[in-house]
Amino acid sequence: MFEFTDTRYTHMPFASPGENGEPKQFCCIQIDGLWKLYHFTGRKWKRVMTGLPADATECGPTAEYEDGIWKISFIAGGWKGDRRFRLYRMYGLNSKPMAQKFADVGFVRKDQVCYGWRHGPVIIEEPGRIVTLNFHNVAYLYRVSYDPFQPNKLLISGEYPDEEIFSWTYQPGMKLLKSVFADGVAAYKCAMYDGECFYAERLVGFEDRRIRKAQTLGFAVLPAEEYITETEEFIPNHENPEFE
């Protein structure tokens, strides 16, 4: 998976089982200095035409096949006139994106909306429940997604205050935090698929990257309380805040 025939920069991989159980691949490919959303048709990488402004940055795709269509979420923003980033949802590859929340990181999966900002927190909204993750000893968050085979396992990429990059798995509720290492380095903006890991390998500059399949994969347990404070609030469904 995640094979490319040209030299364009790629990152933000995500794969999910499709109609016949085969993996459907999504990622972002850089075009003229801007990241755009793509999916693999089985023969080639094809642009997902979101209809957003031409100077928009599109990143962080996740997707699930349900009700006979691909339900996609992603982060986008940064265009002239409105630099704010939002979490979007699409029902079908050719549908119109719908803004869910203002956010720098996050995803939508079924009736769960996960969204957050570059410095945190990350908020997970579900019917009747809101979980908030506040981060410590973390400078930036760059991506929050999930393992499609273990949806309660978040995949978080970011940067420590000393500028070291990290990649984590975190399981809310269980409060289990682990570092993820691919080929001896942090598995930056990684995707997990059926035990395999695909990550954005750095080439030259910080975002000059190519998606690569990890040849070796390692985990190290971290003390969750040193990095994440998790709180949980139960609310009636009708009080769940909506996008404004």
Side-chain angles (χ1 to χ4, degrees):
M1 292 198 298
F2 295 103
E3 297 181 353
F4 303 87
T5 58
D6 57 38
T7 59
R8 291 180 295 179
Y9 295 135
T10 58
H11 74 167
M12 298 279 192
F14 189 85
S16 184
E19 181 178 11
N20 299 315
E22 295 296 319
K24 177 72 172 176
Q25 303 167 60
F26 296 84
C27 76
C28 295
I29 297 177
Q30 194 177 94
I31 303 175
D32 297 327
L34 291 171
W35 294 103
K36 298 296 182 181
L37 190 63
Y38 277 75
H39 71 103
F40 191 64
T41 66
R43 293 186 176 183
K44 65 179 182 178
W45 287 96
K46 183 177 180 180
R47 177 96 177 266
V48 177
M49 303 306 294
T50 64
L52 295 176
D55 58 340
T57 294
E58 302 166 358
C59 57
T62 68
E64 57 181 330
Y65 190 79
E66 188 178 52
D67 303 324
I69 60 173
W70 280 102
K71 299 179 180 180
I72 306 164
S73 69
F74 63 98
I75 299 290
W79 59 80
K80 185 178 180 180
D82 190 349
R83 298 298 184 185
R84 295 173 297 178
F85 279 73
R86 297 168 173 84
L87 171 63
Y88 288 90
R89 181 72 153 157
M90 293 175 66
Y91 291 89
L93 290 167
N94 299 310
S95 65
K96 182 179 179 180
M98 297 177 291
Q100 307 294 300
K101 301 283 184 181
F102 289 111
D104 296 315
V105 296
F107 61 86
V108 182
R109 180 186 174 275
K110 299 189 184 301
D111 57 2
Q112 181 187 80
V113 182
C114 174
Y115 62 100
W117 295 271
R118 194 66 66 203
H119 303 288
V122 168
I123 299 170
I124 305 169
E125 293 183 1
E126 301 173 347
R129 186 174 78 129
I130 297 177
V131 175
T132 301
L133 307 179
N134 285 289
F135 292 82
H136 318 292
N137 303 312
V138 169
Y140 301 105
L141 298 176
Y142 293 130
R143 187 183 191 185
V144 177
S145 62
Y146 63 92
D147 183 335
F149 291 92
Q150 301 179 72
N152 190 48
K153 181 179 288 185
L154 300 180
L155 305 177
I156 304 172
S157 285
E159 184 178 316
Y160 293 119
D162 64 1
E163 300 185 350
E164 179 185 356
I165 295 300
F166 67 79
S167 179
W168 294 342
T169 65
Y170 181 70
Q171 293 174 262
M174 301 178 69
K175 300 182 180 180
L176 296 177
L177 180 66
K178 296 181 181 180
S179 286
V180 186
F181 298 98
D183 302 325
V185 299
Y188 186 60
K189 295 181 178 178
C190 71
M192 298 290 186
Y193 190 87
D194 198 19
E196 294 184 327
C197 176
F198 301 86
Y199 69 104
E201 179 187 28
R202 182 172 179 174
L203 300 178
V204 185
F206 183 71
E207 288 296 342
D208 298 339
R209 296 178 181 266
R210 294 271 290 175
I211 296 172
R212 175 179 176 176
K213 179 181 177 180
Q215 300 304 303
T216 63
L217 184 61
F219 299 89
V221 176
L222 295 175
E225 65 278 3
E226 291 187 12
Y227 297 97
I228 299 175
T229 298
E230 177 181 332
T231 58
E232 186 176 35
E233 178 185 3
F234 293 95
I235 59 174
N237 290 351
H238 66 272
E239 292 185 9
N240 230 2
E242 296 181 355
F243 179 81
E244 297 180 353

